[in-house]
Amino acid sequence: MRVLMTNAEALEKYGIVLDESLLTACLEVVFSIIFFYALFRALYQWFAGNGIQFPSWVGKCLLIKEVLPGGDCLAPKKQNRFKELKTFLIIFSVAFASRALIAYLGYLYKVTQAVRDGYASYDMISSFSNIWNRWDAPHYVDIAKNWYVTEAQAQAMGNDSYLFIVFFPLLPMLMRLFSPFAPDAAIAGMQAVNQYYFFVGCFISTVCFSVAAYYLFKLVRREYNMRTGVWALVFLLLTPAGFFFFNAYTDSLLLMCSMIFFYQLRCGRYWIAALFGMLAALSRSLGVILAVPFFVEWINQERVISAWKREPLAPKLRRLLPVVLLPLGTLCYLLINYSVFQDPLRFLLYQKNHWGQSFSWFLSNLAQIGSRIFFTDQKTAWAIWLPGFLAIATAIFAFLFGSGKKLRAGYLAYMMSYIVVAAAPSWLLSGARYFAVLFPVYILLALRAEKMPWLGALAAVVMLVGLAAMTVMFISGWQVM
């Protein structure tokens, strides 16, 4: 068996010698400086925007010339319902068609390659399922069919499906709504049942992505302008890990719930925002961090800091009450753990024992991921570590850019929380996919593209190349997760 070369070994041929420990330490120091500088800028913007006075030298040291006011919620706007429906249908159709195109082109590429290499051909449904239904997707299919099972039940079935408790339940719950229409396994066979649930999961994900695309455009258009909204939409459609948005994964569902959450929150509809925040927490563990921007926006919109002496606090506290809904999604997931295993934290045990997953300091993880690009085999480096490193690094640089009067405090609070939590798993195999959901990055890219269209076009081309490369690696069986 041929041992694959590492990138560090490849560089040694050109006289470049890398020290793994030194590289890791340097990366951690560099990104620590960038992140904390951005964090201090964001905190300064938030507090100063809410009327807290700082010495002038603080703003000069942070290179902040002007402060973004905390501000109210988005002003009510009279809309032409027919025109808005038309906008929704256009964006929904474009987003849906873009995912269908990626799915079909990936299928066409892989089938053409297989036929050329002399492999037997299958019907389109089987071929499509074999190409795209991999890694986490089959686990969601299994949960949709059988729900969560105990170790004894999994042993009786001859598999390890008890481990699937680590996957959150909202997507399988939605897939199970279509179970009355599922084919009979005794007649059609289990493969047909698996394919049915997989295609249902793909349909749900694609619909959720299309709705999320509309709300991203709608939110950015209200916050900024039409052109910025279009640019943000373009970057979302071209994000390199975007092929996951049509697959039977939870990313589209989390993105949709997050987008609706933020739009409703910015409109001051706290209960609706909290409801979708709860659904986000039920779709993925990262959903619960929406409580952070909820709290920040509540402080801004209710002027809790800037007008605390002039206005009574009690009515404002009552308007904070919806925040209690957000942790309920996570609580429901813990109750499912308890009902199946009599242990609400059983998922943590399986993550540690089976996947070697634990939580550590996110900047140390980022540095280690950067180091693995050079000190693991090239195939793994290109498929897992390089995309993940670039995604997290891009998010941190976007956080730095956004902290300089580019984004509201609520978006910055979400970015900060998301980066810290999403990059915390010690063995982060899905970094590119996780950070594709961090939508403020698309807003910041759009703001830059509006002022410098050539730079926006260049970024779009680079993202498109990344999307093509990651899609080909995924359908070719590389460990793109």
Side-chain angles (χ1 to χ4, degrees), residues 10 18 100 190 201 242 264 293 309 371 392 394 419 436 447 449 463:
L18 297 178
M190 187 54 66
Q264 299 298 339
K309 289 183 177 180
S371 181
I392 302 171
T394 299
I419 292 169
L447 289 170
M463 293 174 76

Side-chain angles (χ1 to χ4, degrees), residues 452-466:
M452 305 174 66
W454 67 269
L455 187 60
L458 178 61
V461 171
V462 171
M463 293 174 76
L464 179 60
V465 171

Side-chain angles (χ1 to χ4, degrees), residues 303-361:
R303 294 185 172 86
V304 174
I305 297 176
S306 59
W308 70 277
K309 289 183 177 180
R310 302 190 305 271
E311 300 174 5
L313 185 61
K316 300 176 181 181
L317 289 175
R318 285 196 293 270
R319 287 193 283 273
L320 180 62
L321 185 60
V323 77
V324 300
L325 289 180
L326 273 78
L328 292 183
T330 302
L331 179 61
C332 288
Y333 172 65
L334 297 179
L335 289 175
I336 291 173
N337 273 258
Y338 183 80
S339 67
V340 177
F341 296 101
Q342 287 71 55
D343 178 6
L345 301 177
R346 179 58 63 94
F347 69 101
L348 292 176
L349 176 67
Y350 292 152
Q351 282 183 340
K352 182 178 180 180
N353 292 345
H354 185 76
W355 281 275
Q357 195 72 276
S358 59
F359 293 94
S360 55
W361 180 237

Side-chain angles (χ1 to χ4, degrees), residues 148-337:
Y148 299 101
V149 298
T150 63
E151 293 188 22
Q153 291 171 325
Q155 186 176 9
M157 293 187 289
N159 57 39
D160 58 358
S161 56
Y162 66 92
L163 295 169
F164 300 163
I165 191 65
V166 302
F167 299 101
F168 274 59
L170 184 56
L171 177 60
M173 289 168 66
L174 294 175
M175 293 164 68
R176 285 170 71 90
L177 294 177
F178 294 82
S179 59
F181 310 104
D184 189 337
I187 299 174
M190 187 54 66
Q191 183 181 6
V193 176
N194 290 337
Q195 291 172 353
Y196 171 80
Y197 279 106
F198 170 68
F199 280 101
V200 166
C202 289
F203 175 76
I204 292 172
S205 289
T206 308
V207 169
C208 289
F209 173 75
S210 303
V211 173
Y214 166 72
Y215 270 95
L216 174 64
F217 171 80
K218 188 176 183 178
L219 178 64
V220 177
R221 183 184 61 184
R222 292 285 303 277
E223 291 275 22
Y224 302 99
N225 55 59
M226 175 79 75
R227 288 182 59 188
T228 306
V230 171
W231 273 114
L233 181 61
V234 168
F235 292 130
L236 173 64
L237 296 177
L238 296 179
T239 188
F243 60 90
F244 284 109
F245 286 135
F246 79 82
N247 212 328
Y249 284 71
T250 57
D251 305 279
S252 290
L253 190 55
L254 176 61
L255 179 62
M256 182 193 72
C257 292
S258 300
M259 291 310 314
I260 299 177
F261 165 87
F262 268 98
Y263 183 79
Q264 299 298 339
L265 182 64
R266 289 292 292 116
C267 291
R269 304 180 189 120
Y270 294 155
W271 282 105
I272 301 177
L275 174 62
F276 279 94
M278 180 189 72
L279 293 175
L282 193 59
S283 66
R284 277 257 292 278
S285 58
L286 289 165
V288 73
I289 67 174
L290 291 172
V292 177
F294 189 103
F295 183 72
V296 171
E297 279 295 330
W298 170 77
I299 289 177
N300 281 355
Q301 295 180 22
E302 301 297 330
R303 294 185 172 86
V304 174
I305 297 176
S306 59
W308 70 277
K309 289 183 177 180
R310 302 190 305 271
E311 300 174 5
L313 185 61
K316 300 176 181 181
L317 289 175
R318 285 196 293 270
R319 287 193 283 273
L320 180 62
L321 185 60
V323 77
V324 300
L325 289 180
L326 273 78
L328 292 183
T330 302
L331 179 61
C332 288
Y333 172 65
L334 297 179
L335 289 175
I336 291 173
N337 273 258

Side-chain angles (χ1 to χ4, degrees), residues 13-169:
K13 294 182 178 181
Y14 300 96
I16 302 174
V17 179
L18 297 178
D19 181 273
E20 184 173 2
S21 300
L22 180 60
L23 176 62
T24 303
C26 289
L27 287 173
E28 184 167 359
V29 169
V30 169
F31 281 99
S32 295
I33 293 172
I34 296 171
F35 178 81
F36 282 107
Y37 174 60
L39 179 61
F40 289 141
R41 280 163 57 99
L43 289 173
Y44 176 87
Q45 287 277 8
W46 183 38
F47 287 123
N50 279 280
I52 296 179
Q53 299 295 322
F54 290 93
S56 60
W57 62 265
V58 176
K60 292 178 180 178
C61 289
L62 294 174
L63 302 180
I64 296 177
K65 297 180 181 179
E66 193 176 356
V67 175
L68 183 68
D72 298 320
C73 58
L74 291 173
K77 184 178 180 181
K78 189 175 182 180
Q79 296 178 337
N80 185 317
R81 292 188 177 182
F82 177 78
K83 186 176 181 180
E84 193 62 27
L85 177 61
K86 182 180 177 181
T87 301
F88 169 77
L89 292 176
I90 291 173
I91 295 177
F92 185 95
S93 300
V94 169
F96 198 99
S98 70
R99 299 312 95 178
L101 180 63
I102 293 173
Y104 177 72
L105 290 178
Y107 158 80
L108 195 63
Y109 171 85
K110 188 62 178 177
V111 168
T112 303
Q113 186 182 57
V115 172
R116 183 193 62 195
D117 294 341
Y119 289 98
S121 59
Y122 298 93
D123 63 276
M124 182 174 182
I125 292 178
S126 297
S127 297
F128 188 94
S129 180
N130 292 337
I131 292 169
W132 290 109
N133 187 17
R134 58 182 60 191
W135 305 122
D136 290 355
H139 306 332
Y140 288 110
V141 168
D142 193 90
I143 298 170
K145 289 189 307 178
N146 305 315
W147 197 233
Y148 299 101
V149 298
T150 63
E151 293 188 22
Q153 291 171 325
Q155 186 176 9
M157 293 187 289
N159 57 39
D160 58 358
S161 56
Y162 66 92
L163 295 169
F164 300 163
I165 191 65
V166 302
F167 299 101
F168 274 59

